[in-house]
Amino acid sequence: MEQRTAVIIVAGGSGSRCGGTLPKQFRLLGNRPVLARTIDLFTSVIHGTEIVVVLPARHIDFWNDFSARFEVAPHKVVAGGEERFHSVRNGLAALCTKPDLVAIHDAVRPFATPEMIRCVVDAAAESGAAIPTVVPVDSFRKVGDAGSQPVDRNRLRIVQTPQVFRADWLTKAYGAEYDPRFTDDATVVEAAGHPVRLVAGDDGNIKLTTETDFDLAEALLAVRAAKEDEKQTAATELHAQEVPQHGR
């Protein structure tokens, strides 16, 4: 039986690293707000899902007004907390349904692919906890008081979202006290004693943090649009070839 999955989209940051006055989750990307793209992505992949968006309290009225100018899938908005930990906890408390699984995703990752999302959800349904990761291509060094040493990048993974967990595991894990070592949801769940499965992520699942990221996002959006046009053109041509020609 398919397990019910709810989604918490976390957009608690100020977006100051991008400059300007508009937080990055509200900036337009291809004439649509980044946050709207992320919301609609999950609605299209997980049909009938409950979506809770966590925003800074001071931005809620702005988003409610701004999002009304676009067609955005239904979602509930709640205020975040001091740290991401507290924001996710608030999102969990705001869920109205009783899902089997909960997916937690960064609002500023609008390019997660449907295939990757389904893969992480399926892995979590089997194991209880799953996160997407990618293999780094850069070299790394560990810095300390005695200098620096190289790090074997083959033993490293870059963590992405969505991170998906059994709802009961996640709720209980977030009943703990906040710890600065909680860098993401996986670390919270692991601290509660649950193993986390690593699933192949996607290099295109970028997190929009700097102005350069937005330049890259516009290019990525154009490439994906071009590929979709090619698919539609090919499908139209194939259909035309298969339709019987009458009157000849």
Side-chain angles (χ1 to χ4, degrees), residues 70-213:
F70 305 86
E71 290 186 6
V72 185
H75 59 281
K76 182 178 183 180
V77 181
V78 298
E82 182 179 356
E83 302 288 345
R84 178 190 172 90
F85 175 90
H86 304 101
S87 293
V88 174
R89 177 189 281 174
N90 291 356
L92 284 169
L95 291 173
C96 296
T97 58
K98 293 183 178 181
D100 302 297
L101 302 172
V102 177
I104 305 172
H105 191 63
D106 298 323
V108 289
R109 288 188 189 270
F111 291 114
T113 63
E115 295 77 16
M116 189 266 282
I117 293 173
R118 295 189 188 101
C119 184
V120 181
V121 170
D122 289 345
E126 294 178 357
S127 65
I131 63 174
T133 66
V134 294
V135 178
V137 295
D138 295 321
S139 295
F140 291 85
R141 297 188 71 86
K142 183 178 181 180
V143 179
D145 295 337
S148 67
Q149 300 82 35
V151 177
D152 182 3
R153 67 185 177 195
N154 293 319
R155 300 180 63 85
L156 299 178
R157 294 295 181 271
I158 300 171
V159 177
Q160 301 181 331
T161 66
Q163 300 187 1
V164 187
F165 310 92
R166 277 180 45 171
D168 56 342
W169 286 7
L170 192 64
T171 301
K172 187 174 182 179
Y174 270 93
E177 293 296 323
Y178 169 69
D179 189 320
R181 291 175 296 180
F182 293 155
T183 57
D184 62 359
D185 308 292
T187 54
V188 179
V189 171
E190 285 176 321
H194 303 294
V196 174
R197 180 187 295 185
L198 304 188
V199 177
D202 185 347
D203 289 331
N205 183 24
I206 60 175
K207 185 175 182 179
L208 304 180
T209 304
T210 67
E211 193 64 41
T212 300
D213 294 331

Side-chain angles (χ1 to χ4, degrees), residues 12-109:
S14 64
S16 58
R17 278 180 285 182
C18 272
T21 58
L22 191 65
K24 56 193 176 184
Q25 58 264 29
F26 305 139
R27 286 184 54 171
L28 294 182
L29 178 62
N31 298 320
R32 284 185 65 74
V34 170
L35 179 53
R37 288 185 173 277
T38 303
I39 293 170
D40 291 347
L41 168 64
F42 279 89
T43 300
S44 68
V45 176
I46 309 175
H47 302 296
T49 185
E50 178 184 9
I51 295 181
V52 172
V53 174
V54 186
L55 293 173
R58 66 184 183 277
H59 293 154
I60 291 178
D61 287 342
F62 170 82
W63 173 247
N64 287 337
D65 176 69
F66 190 43
S67 62
R69 307 175 194 179
F70 305 86
E71 290 186 6
V72 185
H75 59 281
K76 182 178 183 180
V77 181
V78 298
E82 182 179 356
E83 302 288 345
R84 178 190 172 90
F85 175 90
H86 304 101
S87 293
V88 174
R89 177 189 281 174
N90 291 356
L92 284 169
L95 291 173
C96 296
T97 58
K98 293 183 178 181
D100 302 297
L101 302 172
V102 177
I104 305 172
H105 191 63
D106 298 323
V108 289
R109 288 188 189 270

